[in-house]
Amino acid sequence: MASEDPAQDGNGTKDPRLDSLDMQLKMVRKAEAERTGQDVPPAKGMRQGNRVLTELIAGPAGGALIGWLLDRLFDTAPALLLVCMFLGIAVAFRNIYRISQERPE
Protein backbone atom coordinates (compact mmCIF):
# COMPACT_ATOMS: atom_id res chain seq x y z
CA MET A 1 0.00 0.00 0.00
CA ALA A 2 2.86 2.39 0.74
CA SER A 3 4.34 1.63 -2.67
CA GLU A 4 1.19 3.01 -4.35
CA ASP A 5 1.72 6.45 -2.74
CA PRO A 6 3.34 8.70 -5.40
CA ALA A 7 4.95 10.93 -2.76
CA GLN A 8 6.97 8.07 -1.29
CA ASP A 9 9.05 6.96 -4.24
CA GLY A 10 9.76 10.35 -5.85
CA ASN A 11 9.03 9.03 -9.36
CA GLY A 12 5.33 9.77 -9.49
CA THR A 13 3.38 12.95 -9.98
CA LYS A 14 3.15 15.59 -7.29
CA ASP A 15 1.04 14.79 -4.30
CA PRO A 16 -1.90 17.23 -3.95
CA ARG A 17 -1.76 16.88 -0.16
CA LEU A 18 1.82 18.20 -0.11
CA ASP A 19 0.90 21.03 -2.47
CA SER A 20 -1.99 21.98 -0.20
CA LEU A 21 0.24 21.86 2.89
CA ASP A 22 2.90 23.99 1.16
CA MET A 23 0.25 26.56 0.20
CA GLN A 24 -1.07 26.72 3.76
CA LEU A 25 2.45 27.16 5.16
CA LYS A 26 3.12 30.05 2.77
CA MET A 27 -0.12 31.75 3.77
CA VAL A 28 0.61 31.34 7.50
CA ARG A 29 4.17 32.66 7.11
CA LYS A 30 2.93 35.67 5.16
CA ALA A 31 0.23 36.41 7.74
CA GLU A 32 2.79 36.13 10.57
CA ALA A 33 5.21 38.48 8.78
CA GLU A 34 2.43 41.04 8.30
CA ARG A 35 1.30 40.67 11.91
CA THR A 36 4.77 41.30 13.30
CA GLY A 37 5.49 44.08 10.80
CA GLN A 38 8.59 42.43 9.35
CA ASP A 39 7.33 42.30 5.79
CA VAL A 40 5.79 45.76 5.49
CA PRO A 41 7.95 48.82 4.77
CA PRO A 42 7.10 51.93 6.82
CA ALA A 43 4.45 54.14 5.30
CA LYS A 44 5.45 57.42 3.67
CA GLY A 45 3.39 59.36 6.21
CA MET A 46 5.32 57.79 9.07
CA ARG A 47 8.65 58.62 7.43
CA GLN A 48 7.53 62.21 6.89
CA GLY A 49 6.38 62.46 10.49
CA ASN A 50 9.77 61.30 11.70
CA ARG A 51 11.48 63.85 9.48
CA VAL A 52 9.26 66.65 10.82
CA LEU A 53 9.98 65.60 14.40
CA THR A 54 13.71 65.56 13.67
CA GLU A 55 13.54 69.05 12.19
CA LEU A 56 11.57 70.39 15.17
CA ILE A 57 14.15 69.04 17.61
CA ALA A 58 17.40 69.50 15.68
CA GLY A 59 16.79 73.02 14.33
CA PRO A 60 16.35 74.89 17.60
CA ALA A 61 18.79 72.62 19.48
CA GLY A 62 21.51 73.08 16.86
CA GLY A 63 20.95 76.83 16.74
CA ALA A 64 21.05 77.07 20.52
CA LEU A 65 24.27 75.07 20.70
CA ILE A 66 25.98 77.20 18.07
CA GLY A 67 24.71 80.38 19.74
CA TRP A 68 25.93 79.23 23.15
CA LEU A 69 29.37 78.43 21.73
CA LEU A 70 29.56 81.83 20.03
CA ASP A 71 28.43 83.52 23.25
CA ARG A 72 31.21 81.78 25.14
CA LEU A 73 33.74 82.72 22.45
CA PHE A 74 32.80 86.40 22.16
CA ASP A 75 31.46 86.89 25.72
CA THR A 76 28.17 88.40 24.53
CA ALA A 77 25.85 86.93 27.19
CA PRO A 78 22.63 85.41 25.77
CA ALA A 79 22.38 87.60 22.65
CA LEU A 80 23.89 85.18 20.12
CA LEU A 81 22.22 82.24 21.83
CA LEU A 82 18.79 83.76 21.26
CA VAL A 83 19.57 84.92 17.70
CA CYS A 84 20.90 81.52 16.63
CA MET A 85 18.07 79.66 18.34
CA PHE A 86 15.46 81.73 16.49
CA LEU A 87 17.37 81.17 13.24
CA GLY A 88 17.28 77.44 13.96
CA ILE A 89 13.53 77.61 14.50
CA ALA A 90 13.08 79.51 11.22
CA VAL A 91 15.18 76.97 9.32
CA ALA A 92 13.23 74.09 10.90
CA PHE A 93 9.89 75.61 9.83
CA ARG A 94 11.24 76.21 6.32
CA ASN A 95 12.31 72.56 6.08
CA ILE A 96 8.96 71.38 7.43
CA TYR A 97 7.21 73.45 4.78
CA ARG A 98 9.39 71.81 2.12
CA ILE A 99 8.59 68.35 3.49
CA SER A 100 4.87 69.16 3.34
CA GLN A 101 5.15 70.13 -0.33
CA GLU A 102 6.52 66.73 -1.41
CA ARG A 103 4.25 64.67 -3.60
CA PRO A 104 2.69 61.59 -2.02
CA GLU A 105 3.59 58.22 -3.52
Side-chain angles (χ1 to χ4, degrees):
M1 192 151 152
S3 63
E4 295 176 11
D5 190 5
Q8 295 297 321
D9 60 6
N11 295 331
T13 61
K14 288 184 127 185
D15 188 4
R17 295 174 297 172
L18 290 176
D19 291 339
S20 172
L21 181 62
D22 188 40
M23 209 52 157
Q24 288 176 357
L25 281 172
K26 284 181 184 178
M27 288 177 12
V28 167
R29 285 183 182 143
K30 182 179 177 184
E32 180 66 17
E34 288 177 0
R35 185 184 69 81
T36 59
Q38 295 174 351
D39 195 32
V40 181
K44 182 172 174 72
M46 189 169 196
R47 289 192 310 258
Q48 281 183 335
N50 287 336
R51 287 177 59 196
V52 167
L53 181 63
T54 302
E55 291 292 337
L56 282 175
I57 293 172
L65 178 66
I66 291 171
W68 180 77
L69 291 172
L70 290 175
D71 270 342
R72 301 276 294 186
L73 183 65
F74 297 121
D75 195 29
T76 57
L80 291 177
L81 171 76
L82 293 173
V83 168
C84 289
M85 189 172 61
F86 284 118
L87 284 174
I89 291 170
V91 169
F93 284 143
R94 182 194 59 152
N95 289 340
I96 291 169
Y97 178 75
R98 286 184 178 177
I99 291 170
S100 70
Q101 296 302 312
E102 290 179 0
R103 292 181 150 258
E105 291 177 353

